[in-house]
Amino acid sequence: MSATAALLAAAEGGIIGDGRTGANLALGAGALGLAIGWPALARAGHRISTGKARTIGTSAIAAGLAGTVLAVLHLATSSGGPGTGSGLVGAIAAVPLGLGAVFLGRRALARSRHADRSAG
């Protein structure tokens, strides 16, 4: 099974569980990205740990992108409307979570670069 086919199957909920599985995966990845992004953003302004802030910021971006891609795939492949158990509402909620994680990770990377320039 290729990576694209695996993502489509996960987004449709075809690997495990019902139609909400893809939306729950997307929500989890977006929430994880936000949980990683907040400390990265707080740490990025300090000169002592900018390398760690870069790593954590990149991880937040990756988790946010994964959540956003899963949510969009689920939205594109879900059948039924809101309230039918297809996970449509969860996927809609996962898109801003994932994009927020990408935003926080990007801000952390920008701050850590700025802190490196002012330290040197």
Side-chain angles (χ1 to χ4, degrees), residues 52-80:
K52 193 178 278 191
R54 270 193 222 113
T55 304
I56 297 171
T58 305
S59 300
I61 290 172
L65 279 176
T68 303
V69 167
L70 281 173
V72 169
L73 283 174
H74 188 78
L75 286 171
T77 59
S78 69
S79 59

Side-chain angles (χ1 to χ4, degrees), residues 15-107:
I15 292 178
I16 50 173
D18 58 356
R20 294 185 198 114
T21 304
N24 288 337
L25 288 172
L27 280 168
L32 178 67
L34 283 176
I36 293 170
W38 279 113
L41 188 60
R43 193 176 290 218
H46 304 296
R47 295 180 188 166
I48 298 171
S49 62
T50 55
K52 193 178 278 191
R54 270 193 222 113
T55 304
I56 297 171
T58 305
S59 300
I61 290 172
L65 279 176
T68 303
V69 167
L70 281 173
V72 169
L73 283 174
H74 188 78
L75 286 171
T77 59
S78 69
S79 59
T84 60
S86 65
L88 188 68
V89 175
I92 290 170
V95 171
L97 279 177
L99 292 176
V102 171
F103 175 74
L104 285 178
R106 180 71 184 115
R107 291 282 298 155

